[in-house]
């Protein structure tokens, strides 16, 4: 029973489509979900978005060049600027604190996004809501430090942050080319 993930319930958030809610009390540090779906690179991602097979807000980044085309379950989890879950390793979502039955399960979308032009309006209404979501650089230093403390960063993002913090990070050329060909 050790590896069993907690019971969740899918229902309408009343503001931005469906979300997942805890259907039992969850202890801090519990694995909640593994993000899964077909792997794709940035070129495939752009092709999918351009042919309306994918919404630009939906792909989930798991590597410098690798994204997942999230399955239906995985794409139901919503963002919050004050989330109760983090993501670590490769797409492993876990609880950052104790979660009460009935609370919506959320994570911080920006934590999975390498520096890019991506922006999304946020309706999470948490006290520290950033209003406009962006990439990892849009997360405040204080909040990023607390995510780091919890180990709430994926493997690739840990490496990337080292490059960003040492001033050696440049948006890769393939990414700029791909994004320039986006028709949105
Ligand atoms: Zn927000």
């Amino acid at each position: 029973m050790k590896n069993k993930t907690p019971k969740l319930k899918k229902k309408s958030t009343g503001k931005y489509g469906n979300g997942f809610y805890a259907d039992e009390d969850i202890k801090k540090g519990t694995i909640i979900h593994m993000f899964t779906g077909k792997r794709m690179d940035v070129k495939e991602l752009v092709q999918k978005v351009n042919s309306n097979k994918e919404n630009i807000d939906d792909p989930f980044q798991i590597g410098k060049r690798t994204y997942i085309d999230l399955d239906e379950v995985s794409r139901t989890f919503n963002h919050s600027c004050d989330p109760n879950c983090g993501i670590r390793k490769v797409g492993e979502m876990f609880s950052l604190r104790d979660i009460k039955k009935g609370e919506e399960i959320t994570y911080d979308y920006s934590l999975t996004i390498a520096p890019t032009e991506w922006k999304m309006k946020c309706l999470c209404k948490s006290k520290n809501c950033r209003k406009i979501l962006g990439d990892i650089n849009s997360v405040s230093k204080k909040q990023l430090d607390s995510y780091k403390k919890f180990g709430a960063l994926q493997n690739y993002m840990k490496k990337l942050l080292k490059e960003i913090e040492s001033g050696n990070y440049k948006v890769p050329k393939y990414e700029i080319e791909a994004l320039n060909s986006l028709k949105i």
Side-chain angles (χ1 to χ4, degrees), residues 79-81 122-126 128-131 133:
H79 162 92
S80 170
C81 298
C122 187
L123 302 170
C124 83
K125 303 237 169 80
S126 64
N128 61 339
C129 180
R130 303 196 287 272
K131 309 277 188 328
L133 301 179

Side-chain angles (χ1 to χ4, degrees), residues 3-159:
N3 294 321
K4 211 171 149 275
T5 51
K7 276 190 279 176
L8 306 177
K9 203 190 226 165
K10 184 173 167 175
K11 63 173 191 180
S12 170
T13 60
K15 40 183 182 179
Y16 36 68
N18 289 329
F20 272 113
Y21 290 76
D23 205 23
E24 59 184 326
D25 290 344
I26 300 170
K27 284 254 166 280
K28 177 179 170 177
T30 305
I31 296 175
I32 309 273
H33 178 71
M34 287 297 297
F35 283 90
T36 47
K38 192 179 166 287
R39 287 184 181 213
M40 57 185 176
D41 64 20
V42 71
K43 264 197 179 151
E44 285 173 83
L45 189 165
V46 167
Q47 277 164 8
K48 282 205 156 186
V49 172
N50 284 344
S51 57
N52 295 321
K53 285 188 188 126
E54 181 79 286
N55 182 318
I56 187 65
D57 299 334
D58 285 337
F60 183 97
Q61 196 169 4
I62 54 162
K64 212 166 171 179
R65 304 183 72 138
T66 316
Y67 296 78
I68 315 179
D69 187 6
L70 290 178
D71 55 41
E72 211 42 50
V73 169
S74 296
R75 67 177 59 200
T76 303
F77 292 95
N78 288 310
H79 162 92
S80 170
C81 298
D82 184 22
N84 49 22
C85 290
I87 318 273
R88 64 189 172 196
K89 300 176 186 172
V90 182
E92 182 180 288
M93 182 159 70
F94 70 105
S95 48
L96 294 171
R97 51 178 170 81
D98 290 347
I99 299 173
K100 287 233 153 45
K101 181 175 176 179
E103 271 187 67
E104 189 184 357
I105 303 294
T106 54
Y107 68 101
D108 190 332
Y109 284 5
S110 298
L111 281 187
T112 67
I113 301 163
T116 179
E117 296 295 307
W118 178 82
K119 295 269 185 291
M120 181 179 135
K121 256 195 200 158
C122 187
L123 302 170
C124 83
K125 303 237 169 80
S126 64
K127 234 173 31 196
N128 61 339
C129 180
R130 303 196 287 272
K131 309 277 188 328
I132 303 281
L133 301 179
D135 59 51
I136 185 80
N137 285 327
S138 71
V139 181
S140 73
K141 170 141 191 346
K142 191 176 158 221
Q143 197 169 17
L144 193 58
D145 284 346
S146 93
Y147 289 133
K148 278 184 193 167
K149 206 181 89 198
F150 283 119
L153 288 168
Q154 294 192 89
N155 294 343
Y156 93 91
M157 190 53 90
K158 281 192 208 163
K159 276 191 216 157

